[in-house]
Amino acid sequence: MHPGNKTIRSVFIVTIFSIIGKLTGFIREAIIASYYGAGSITDAYFVAYSLPSILFSIIGGSMGLIFVPIYTQQLSREPEKSHALASNIINMVFSLSLIIAGLGSVFSRQIIALIAPRLSANSMDIAAYLARIMFPAFIFISISYIATGVLQSHESFAIPSMVSIPSNLIIAMGAALFSGVYGIYALAWATLAGGASQLAIQLPALAKKIEYRMRISIREPSSLAYWKLVVPSILGSSIDKLNILVDNAMASFLLAGSISAINYSTKLIDFTDNIAIGAIIAVAYPKFARLNSKEDYEKLGHMAHKAIMGITQITLPMIAITMIFSKDIVKAVFERGAFVEADTRLTAYALFYYALGIWGIGIRGILNRVFYSLGDTSTPMKISIITLVSNIALNILLVRYMGVGGLGLATSVSSTVGVLALFIFIRRDVGTLNIKGLTKEALKVILAVICMVYVIKKYQVPQIIGNYYIDLILKIAIGLSIYIMLSWLIGAGMMK
């Protein structure tokens, strides 16, 4: 199969499973919203879940990300040693995650008090207990990240892209079947079981790729190189996740349900940002690492250019559609049961401003992976500091005037600032990346989006079929069809 066709096929497979994963994620969130609503109890759960969840992303995610270029390089140069490297890192990751999960469980009450100081004493006690239940999931998911890295390095993308599906279904079933008896605690136990399923689903495929060895060698050269790169990556990811904690901490001073509104709106953002964008990043990253191991920087720059342009062409219309239909989307996905109209208004208000950051999240994901593939984890860390400082400053400035919407706007603007800074540094390391060409193509995409928004706003039809959900889908489909047609007519981005 032609390499280009193989890449498109891989992106397509990952996209399909990502859509299924996100749809099951919506089912999970809709069921949680229906059975628990948006109030102090769900605030306690989301704050509790943010502890292991942030660790998944910070430590587990960093260990998985950095594993790919190290393991790919080993596969290219000394494939017979790749089994020992993978086994060694899996064992070290297990040991480290076991210690972290234990410490998190022991000190959960103190951490909850730090990140959500305005929760009531009762909510804080509930959140601490929920965190103790969910912390062991960190062990399973950390190893799952390494398993994903192994499989993706072997260009096996299907299994890693479907890990969220059983997890989402388990959590949804736990809430639906046991919430009446065990309340919010059923959701915590289901979350733990869901985390375990993310590793379990990958184990059969992983066993075919590596010969596991139960040994740890901290002096092995590749392992030492791995941990030297992981530490700055963890620091950078830690700084990124501080943005979430800052938003939650400031939201705890606002209306009850504000933390839940941020959670629900960012879940929607994750859906739009991770479907096709996640597929592009997942498929491109091992290729970046492989090209770097061959020192083919011209092809690396060309592939980065295509990935950036693809993400730009996908995210900009997504931003416009999400902002235009923010209230309709929230109503369609969440408004049922205990999730009432007031919850919809608050969540839609947050979603409107968080949507502005979709492009920044996607582009930053690609640029960071270019740096990681080059063995540079310090530059993304420095940019994370810039992003955090700008987010805190903008939060303080905007929250008093805009409430939860100000938190969303601050996050979006600071994310974009971080991307612009990354572009400045990327020109230093990847001279073949044509920034001027990207800018010219992006302006065409922006023109197509502006025309799409104008048509939607001017000729918007209140009802097409009469069914609220079908009408919303049709309106979005019409808007995207207009965008695709205009992009093709003016030769915007990948439509040349």
Side-chain angles (χ1 to χ4, degrees):
M1 183 180 293
H2 188 275
N5 293 336
K6 188 175 181 180
T7 299
I8 293 171
R9 179 176 176 272
S10 298
V11 170
F12 178 75
I13 290 171
V14 175
T15 299
I16 294 298
F17 283 121
S18 295
I19 290 172
I20 297 172
K22 291 303 176 182
L23 289 176
T24 56
F26 273 145
I27 292 171
R28 177 199 68 204
E29 293 300 317
I31 288 175
I32 291 173
S34 178
Y35 281 88
Y36 297 103
S40 59
I41 292 297
T42 50
D43 279 356
Y45 168 78
F46 289 128
V47 167
Y49 180 67
S50 70
L51 298 180
S53 176
I54 287 170
L55 289 176
F56 301 156
S57 301
I58 292 176
I59 300 178
S62 294
M63 291 188 295
L65 278 174
I66 303 306
F67 177 80
V68 171
I70 296 293
Y71 182 70
T72 300
Q73 187 176 72
Q74 191 78 62
L75 275 177
S76 300
R77 298 178 181 177
E78 298 178 286
E80 69 281 355
K81 294 184 179 180
S82 63
H83 303 286
L85 171 64
S87 299
N88 194 29
I89 290 177
I90 286 172
N91 294 332
M92 288 191 285
V93 167
F94 171 75
S95 302
L96 179 62
S97 60
L98 183 65
I99 294 170
I100 292 171
L103 291 173
S105 297
V106 170
F107 296 105
S108 59
R109 183 64 168 75
Q110 290 84 350
I111 302 172
I112 293 289
L114 178 65
I115 66 173
R118 296 293 293 180
L119 284 179
S120 67
N122 182 56
S123 294
M124 204 168 286
D125 289 338
I126 293 172
Y129 190 82
L130 295 173
R132 293 187 193 105
I133 295 172
M134 293 185 284
F135 250 114
F138 175 67
I139 301 169
F140 301 116
I141 294 179
S142 294
I143 301 173
S144 173
Y145 279 122
I146 304 300
T148 294
V150 171
L151 297 177
Q152 289 182 344
S153 296
H154 287 276
E155 297 193 351
S156 176
F157 298 101
I159 298 297
S161 64
M162 66 173 69
V163 295
S164 64
I165 298 173
S167 177
N168 291 333
L169 294 176
I170 288 169
I171 295 171
M173 289 173 62
L177 297 176
F178 302 108
S179 62
V181 179
Y182 300 104
I184 198 68
Y185 302 104
L187 191 57
W189 284 109
T191 301
L192 173 60
S197 73
Q198 293 190 32
L199 173 60
I201 194 175
Q202 296 188 86
L203 287 178
L206 180 65
K208 295 178 182 179
K209 302 298 182 185
I210 65 168
E211 297 173 6
Y212 175 72
R213 302 165 190 180
M214 193 175 290
R215 58 180 288 275
I216 293 179
S217 175
I218 59 175
R219 295 181 179 180
E220 200 274 324
S222 294
S223 297
L224 286 173
Y226 170 76
W227 289 108
K228 286 179 181 178
L229 292 174
V230 163
V231 172
S233 178
I234 289 175
L235 291 174
S237 296
S238 300
I239 295 166
D240 286 341
K241 296 307 172 183
L242 276 175
N243 285 317
I244 297 174
L245 296 181
V246 168
D247 284 2
N248 281 340
M250 299 197 75
S252 69
F253 288 87
L254 302 175
L255 295 171
S258 292
I259 294 175
S260 297
I262 290 174
N263 177 78
Y264 290 130
S265 61
T266 52
K267 286 291 192 300
L268 291 168
I269 295 300
D270 287 344
F271 177 79
T272 57
D273 208 45
N274 289 338
I275 291 178
I277 297 169
I280 292 172
I281 291 173
V283 174
Y285 185 36
K287 295 183 183 297
F288 291 160
R290 199 169 296 110
L291 290 169
N292 179 61
S293 68
K294 297 177 181 178
E295 298 184 356
D296 192 344
Y297 301 115
E298 184 175 349
K299 284 187 178 179
L300 176 57
H302 179 66
M303 177 163 284
H305 179 105
K306 290 174 67 176
I308 292 166
M309 202 58 245
I311 288 175
T312 298
Q313 194 141 24
I314 291 168
T315 54
L316 294 188
M318 280 184 173
I319 292 171
I321 292 290
T322 304
M323 294 178 73
I324 291 170
F325 298 109
S326 58
K327 187 175 181 181
D328 299 302
I329 292 169
V330 173
K331 182 178 179 180
V333 176
F334 297 124
E335 192 177 300
R336 59 186 57 84
F339 197 99
V340 297
E341 186 181 354
D343 300 326
T344 295
R345 288 197 301 269
L346 185 62
T347 303
Y349 180 53
L351 175 63
F352 183 89
Y353 290 103
Y354 274 105
L356 288 167
I358 293 174
W359 178 80
I361 295 169
I363 299 299
R364 192 174 179 193
I366 275 290
L367 294 180
N368 279 349
R369 282 159 179 78
V370 172
F371 282 112
Y372 294 154
S373 68
L374 295 171
D376 179 2
T377 55
S378 63
T379 297
M381 181 189 69
K382 294 171 185 175
I383 301 305
S384 295
I385 296 173
I386 295 172
T387 303
L388 174 64
V389 171
S390 57
N391 186 48
I392 292 174
L394 289 169
N395 272 342
I396 294 170
L397 177 65
L398 297 173
V399 73
R400 67 177 68 182
Y401 303 109
M402 300 173 62
V404 72
L407 299 178
L409 181 58
T411 298
S412 297
V413 172
S414 61
S415 176
T416 304
V417 168
V419 167
L420 296 177
L422 279 171
F423 271 118
I424 293 172
F425 284 97
I426 203 80
R427 293 184 66 181
R428 175 197 64 192
D429 295 341
V430 185
T432 55
L433 186 62
N434 185 357
I435 303 295
K436 289 183 179 179
L438 281 172
T439 304
K440 184 178 178 180
E441 291 176 30
L443 289 174
K444 289 185 179 181
V445 174
I446 292 170
L447 176 61
V449 171
I450 291 172
C451 293
M452 178 195 74
V453 171
Y454 174 79
V455 173
I456 290 175
K457 298 297 285 184
K458 186 173 180 62
Y459 300 104
Q460 189 176 25
V461 181
Q463 282 192 330
I464 301 173
I465 300 297
N467 180 283
Y468 181 82
Y469 301 101
I470 296 176
D471 278 346
L472 178 59
I473 292 171
L474 286 175
K475 289 174 184 178
I476 292 174
I478 290 170
L480 291 176
S481 298
I482 293 168
Y483 166 74
I484 292 170
M485 181 184 68
L486 290 171
S487 297
W488 179 75
L489 288 172
I490 64 177
M494 308 298 287
M495 295 289 189
K496 289 180 177 181

